Amino acid sequence: MTQQVHKTDKDYMRQALRLGRFGLGSTAPNPAVGCVLVKDAQIIGSGFTQKSGRPHAEAMALDEAGDEARGATAYVTLEPCAHTGETPPCAASLNDAGVARVVYAIDDPDPRVNGGGAAMLQEAGMDVERGVLADEARRDQLGFLLSKTEGRPMVTLKLAVSANGFMRTPQGESPWITGPLARKSGHLLRAQHDAIVTGAGTVKQDNPSLDCRLPGRADASPVPVVMSRSGALPDNCKLAQRDNVIISDGTPEAVLADLALRGITRALLECGPKLAAAFLADDLVDEIALFTAPHEVAMTGESDISQMQLDLRRFSKTHQAMLGPDSYVHYCRERKNSCSPELSPISAPLRK
């Protein structure tokens, strides 16, 4: 006889977080939210924010649950919205569906919400609780949170380096430092970001396409952003054939501010050591995706990693994996308004 496992609020919120991550890189300027509806210890509906931000996760879950939503508990990774836009407020939709309890992870700093969703739910007589798996949710929502609190997208610095710290190979050799599995993981990172930033030097030397080449994910390619003092691209480069390339001659801070105004919340930095060092020096790198090959390359002089003055002690390791022969480690910068921002005046579980 199989014993039924009793699931907790954290278990259901963890499922909602997993769902929300499917939207990373496709929902901007809206957050990538996940929602799970539970009744009598059974999941009766689930969803995540769809492409370009509509429908919302709550709407997807309510549509799946139908009439069964009455009396259910909703687990949502971000405070349900309280404003009317292209769709009704999710807080009102949860109430109209008869949901009895709402558990959400973190507050929404958008001035149109910022506690208003929770207040709307409470006024309707629902039991409301916040803060379940808040740290995990903040990290998933970092780009959206920073766009509302600092006026910039989050930045992930992606690095592929040899065992002796170089990001390049000798002229005439294959440009690939890491293997196929690591490169596919790099393309997944591209799919999970709204924009990909590089420098004019990288465009000139490597002629990258900066797209997502995973099967079935061509439409997930991020917007290419080239930082160039000349404000122009070489006529024969691959990016010159793209119609959505952003070219900027500004500082890292100015470029990020411009991207935020364009609705971009997540930016992947794939560039040479000089531009990476500039972002690091300005404290604008929030996460680092470090792929390391087990072999050295025949390069001499100061390594690229040394030139960047990369100090990983400023970052916390969040996860790691072996991708074939290559190692992958993901780091997160620990600071206020980054991995664990204090973004809301609400500081305790909300109960009617």
Side-chain angles (χ1 to χ4, degrees):
M1 179 174 167
T2 303
Q3 184 176 4
Q4 186 175 3
V5 178
H6 176 70
K7 291 189 175 181
T8 66
D9 285 347
K10 287 185 177 181
D11 293 322
Y12 292 122
M13 185 62 76
R14 196 167 285 114
Q15 175 68 8
L17 287 166
R18 283 194 288 264
L19 284 168
R21 289 171 192 138
F22 281 109
L24 292 176
S26 68
T27 65
N30 296 279
V33 178
C35 177
V36 171
L37 288 171
V38 178
K39 186 175 181 179
D40 299 326
Q42 298 292 322
I43 294 178
I44 58 171
S46 62
F48 59 92
T49 308
Q50 297 298 291
K51 191 172 182 178
S52 299
R54 296 288 186 278
H56 286 185
E58 297 94 324
M60 299 292 293
L62 288 170
D63 184 63
E64 182 179 341
D67 293 339
E68 286 296 308
R70 186 163 300 277
T73 295
Y75 294 88
V76 193
T77 58
L78 185 71
E79 177 186 4
C81 64
H83 58 283
T84 300
E86 297 179 18
T87 58
C90 288
S93 297
L94 291 167
N95 178 49
D96 293 343
V99 171
R101 179 176 178 244
V102 176
V103 180
Y104 69 91
I106 56 174
D107 305 300
D108 186 341
D110 189 317
R112 298 170 298 175
V113 187
N114 199 17
M120 185 180 292
L121 296 170
Q122 284 188 296
E123 289 168 4
M126 272 183 266
D127 184 17
V128 181
E129 183 172 348
R130 54 87 76 178
V132 177
L133 298 185
D135 287 344
E136 290 90 333
R138 287 189 189 101
R139 183 171 164 246
D140 288 352
Q141 300 290 355
L142 181 58
F144 173 72
L145 299 177
L146 288 176
S147 72
K148 297 301 179 185
T149 60
E150 296 187 12
R152 70 168 180 87
M154 69 161 287
V155 175
T156 302
L157 173 59
K158 182 252 182 180
L159 300 171
V161 302
S162 65
N164 53 340
F166 285 94
M167 300 159 57
R168 53 208 159 92
T169 59
Q171 189 172 5
E173 292 189 9
S174 168
W176 305 118
I177 289 178
T178 54
L181 190 55
R183 296 202 296 274
K184 287 181 179 179
S185 297
H187 281 275
L188 179 59
L189 279 173
R190 290 181 177 182
Q192 293 172 337
H193 288 75
D194 312 318
I196 181 167
V197 182
T198 195
T202 298
V203 172
K204 183 178 180 180
Q205 181 174 331
D206 298 340
N207 192 19
S209 55
L210 301 184
D211 55 357
C212 176
R213 294 192 290 278
L214 293 176
R217 299 299 303 273
D219 62 344
S221 295
V223 175
V225 180
V226 180
M227 296 180 64
S228 169
R229 290 192 180 93
S230 69
L233 294 174
D235 292 336
N236 60 347
C237 74
K238 295 175 183 176
L239 291 179
Q241 314 308 314
R242 301 272 292 271
D243 58 7
N244 64 338
V245 180
I246 298 171
I247 305 175
S248 176
D249 61 356
T251 64
E253 186 174 13
V255 168
L256 294 183
D258 175 66
L259 293 182
L261 290 174
R262 296 171 185 263
I264 288 170
T265 63
R266 295 172 58 85
L268 183 65
L269 184 59
E270 286 194 29
C271 61
K274 186 178 294 186
L275 186 56
F279 275 82
L280 287 165
D282 289 346
D283 204 20
L284 294 173
V285 173
D286 303 293
E287 300 189 10
I288 297 174
L290 178 60
F291 299 85
T292 306
H295 58 271
E296 295 187 354
V297 294
M299 303 291 292
T300 59
E302 185 180 15
S303 74
D304 294 325
I305 291 295
S306 297
Q307 291 180 51
M308 289 166 47
Q309 297 184 336
L310 177 62
D311 184 2
L312 290 176
R313 293 173 300 179
R314 301 166 60 198
F315 295 81
S316 294
K317 186 185 299 183
T318 58
H319 58 275
Q320 60 186 27
M322 291 302 299
L323 302 174
D326 307 311
S327 69
Y328 172 61
V329 185
H330 202 97
Y331 297 89
C332 183
R333 178 85 165 96
E334 294 286 359
R335 64 165 183 256
K336 187 176 180 180
N337 288 343
S338 182
C339 282
S340 55
E342 295 299 330
L343 297 168
S344 170
I346 302 172
S347 59
L350 304 171
R351 293 189 181 277
K352 181 72 177 176

